[in-house]
Amino acid sequence: MSTKDEMPIRKIDHVRFFVGNARQSAYFYRNAYGFDVVAYAGLETKVKHEAGYVVQQGGITFVIMSPLRANHPDSSRLILHGDGVSDIALQVDNVRHAYNLAVERGAIGVVGPRAIEDQYGLYEYATIRAYGDTTHTFVNRDNYKGAFAPGFDPIDPSRYNPATYHPTGLLGIDHIVGNVEEGRMNEWVEFYRKVLGFEQLVSFDDQDISTEYSALMSKVVQSGRGKIKFPINEPAQGRRKSQIEEYIDFYGGAGVQHIAMATNDIVKTVRALKANDVSFLRVPRTYYEGLGDRIGGIKEDIDELAELGILVDRDDEGYMLQIFTKPVQDRPTLFFEIIQREGSKSFGKGNFKALFEAIEREQETRGTL
Ligand code: FE2
């Protein structure tokens, strides 16, 4: 019997970030990335130990939290990791069942099944460990009608001016990539397969993805026929320090490397993000020479893609367009990808070389190559 049927995971419910200053981060996600700030938790909502904001755009929900005191567990997490993703929450039919099954299959429990009731209904969750200090929380909100979860209130309408809210066309999370320590990729692929019933999709090895310096290996696991996709990277031996090693060094261990967010008009989305001063990685102009011949017919204008630095890749099922932001904090750790899929289900393997060379130019400026 397939393990998938035993633990149906519906979708990514939300991604939780821990940051040094949730108030300022919420402003960044709203004014740079075009998220709507919908809920708040903190002292005013009788939450004493942390404060945070729920931001949403399309089907994407980010929860951005900061500890309010030194004894909060996220305070030591901030010292170790800087800002980052603490939890990828997965929506399930039955929290208790998902948690018990996961633990039975070898997951390490962090928070056992809990059901919290407030005036808006019943919110259920339980948390297990994933790679590094990252966790997965199983969530069920079928009987909850509140702003987000108990402790959160709808955002005070006077906090943000609705006239300054401009969505950028982000529709959903396409995939979330984890960087793990050298030699541990297969272990985590097995975790997703055995514990959460994911299936393995494709793999790249260092022959596929290497430049002079930045070798890596990657395998993709997915759930719900591709609704949830988690590529897992590990560093491979290169001549000098790979981007994955650089991440692990600055993050202080394994963690979320990037979150890919889908749009159905990448040109429009990237123009909007650039107008808000979002910084993207640039590939050299030579990437676009002969691109039309390599890629075949696409509906987008290649000159416009070149102007914006958007990459294209094709496989037998179609093509995809993608672009990567620079890290969104001072440490060279978490960044975002913007992706538009036109039939292709791939991750842009054909772009890896150009992309890694672009990352290496950035590493060079940081002196970490
Ligand atoms: Fe990606």
Side-chain angles (χ1 to χ4, degrees), residues 138-310:
F138 299 117
V139 174
N140 183 284
R141 53 174 73 255
D142 291 351
N143 297 307
Y144 193 73
K145 302 282 169 273
F148 172 69
F152 286 83
D153 280 357
I155 205 78
D156 172 1
S158 64
R159 190 184 291 264
Y160 300 100
N161 177 1
T164 63
Y165 171 54
H166 304 293
T168 58
L170 299 173
L171 299 173
I173 292 177
D174 186 87
H175 58 274
I176 301 181
V177 180
N179 282 344
V180 303
E181 300 88 347
E182 189 174 344
R184 300 198 63 191
M185 175 182 67
N186 287 326
E187 188 186 314
W188 285 107
V189 167
E190 282 310 290
F191 167 85
Y192 282 102
R193 278 161 43 91
K194 287 198 178 131
V195 173
L196 296 180
F198 281 51
E199 56 184 356
Q200 192 190 323
L201 201 61
V202 279
S203 65
F204 311 109
D205 62 21
D206 50 354
Q207 306 310 120
D208 291 328
I209 323 178
S210 73
T211 60
E212 193 176 1
Y213 305 135
S214 224
L216 70 78
M217 300 207 282
S218 186
K219 288 184 177 174
V220 183
V221 289
Q222 70 169 27
S223 178
R225 288 186 298 280
K227 241 185 292 165
I228 304 172
K229 295 189 284 288
F230 293 155
I232 311 281
N233 295 335
E234 74 172 27
Q237 289 303 326
R239 273 201 36 220
R240 284 162 79 188
K241 192 173 195 168
S242 86
Q243 49 164 311
I244 311 300
E245 278 174 278
E246 184 196 36
Y247 174 100
I248 286 169
D249 181 15
F250 280 90
Y251 194 71
V256 170
Q257 180 209 39
H258 75 266
I259 300 175
M261 301 188 282
T263 169
N264 56 23
D265 188 345
I266 196 168
V267 168
K268 201 170 161 197
T269 295
V270 170
R271 281 203 192 285
L273 293 169
K274 284 192 177 216
N276 297 338
D277 296 321
V278 171
S279 308
F280 292 95
L281 282 179
R282 294 284 332 193
V283 296
R285 271 204 96 83
T286 51
Y287 172 87
Y288 295 93
E289 287 167 13
L291 181 69
D293 298 333
R294 297 205 302 277
I295 292 300
I298 59 172
K299 65 182 184 202
E300 289 73 17
D301 172 28
I302 288 182
D303 289 337
E304 206 172 15
L305 300 180
E307 175 210 331
L308 296 169
I310 294 166

Side-chain angles (χ1 to χ4, degrees), residues 1-9 105 193 196-199 222-225:
M1 187 160 86
S2 142
T3 51
K4 233 175 24 186
D5 305 324
E6 296 167 21
M7 196 193 293
I9 297 172
R105 291 171 176 170
R193 278 161 43 91
L196 296 180
F198 281 51
E199 56 184 356
Q222 70 169 27
S223 178
R225 288 186 298 280

Side-chain angles (χ1 to χ4, degrees), residues 36-229:
D36 193 13
V37 188
V38 299
Y40 167 76
L43 295 172
E44 297 84 347
T45 72
K46 302 192 172 50
V47 173
K48 305 286 187 209
H49 63 300
E50 59 189 9
Y53 298 78
V54 178
V55 305
Q56 279 176 338
Q57 185 171 187
I60 310 167
T61 302
F62 290 161
V63 181
I64 301 157
M65 303 300 297
S66 285
L68 290 175
R69 290 197 175 82
N71 61 4
H72 188 294
D74 279 358
S75 291
S76 47
R77 191 192 279 268
L78 279 168
I79 292 170
L80 181 58
H81 300 304
D83 290 3
V85 169
S86 56
D87 187 87
I88 302 167
L90 305 170
Q91 205 178 99
V92 295
D93 294 343
N94 184 323
V95 167
R96 180 172 296 276
H97 175 72
Y99 177 86
N100 287 342
L101 196 57
V103 169
E104 201 182 291
R105 291 171 176 170
I108 298 168
V110 179
V111 179
R114 297 208 176 153
I116 304 182
E117 232 179 319
D118 67 9
Q119 69 266 41
Y120 303 108
L122 187 71
Y123 182 87
E124 293 177 274
Y125 72 98
T127 304
I128 59 166
R129 285 192 63 165
Y131 46 78
D133 281 340
T134 318
T135 55
H136 286 304
T137 294
F138 299 117
V139 174
N140 183 284
R141 53 174 73 255
D142 291 351
N143 297 307
Y144 193 73
K145 302 282 169 273
F148 172 69
F152 286 83
D153 280 357
I155 205 78
D156 172 1
S158 64
R159 190 184 291 264
Y160 300 100
N161 177 1
T164 63
Y165 171 54
H166 304 293
T168 58
L170 299 173
L171 299 173
I173 292 177
D174 186 87
H175 58 274
I176 301 181
V177 180
N179 282 344
V180 303
E181 300 88 347
E182 189 174 344
R184 300 198 63 191
M185 175 182 67
N186 287 326
E187 188 186 314
W188 285 107
V189 167
E190 282 310 290
F191 167 85
Y192 282 102
R193 278 161 43 91
K194 287 198 178 131
V195 173
L196 296 180
F198 281 51
E199 56 184 356
Q200 192 190 323
L201 201 61
V202 279
S203 65
F204 311 109
D205 62 21
D206 50 354
Q207 306 310 120
D208 291 328
I209 323 178
S210 73
T211 60
E212 193 176 1
Y213 305 135
S214 224
L216 70 78
M217 300 207 282
S218 186
K219 288 184 177 174
V220 183
V221 289
Q222 70 169 27
S223 178
R225 288 186 298 280
K227 241 185 292 165
I228 304 172
K229 295 189 284 288

Side-chain angles (χ1 to χ4, degrees), residues 334-351:
L334 179 75
F335 58 89
F336 292 104
E337 172 182 350
I338 312 300
I339 184 166
Q340 177 184 337
R341 293 193 183 277
E342 295 294 334
S344 167
K345 297 192 187 76
S346 87
F347 295 84
K349 179 173 149 180
N351 291 322

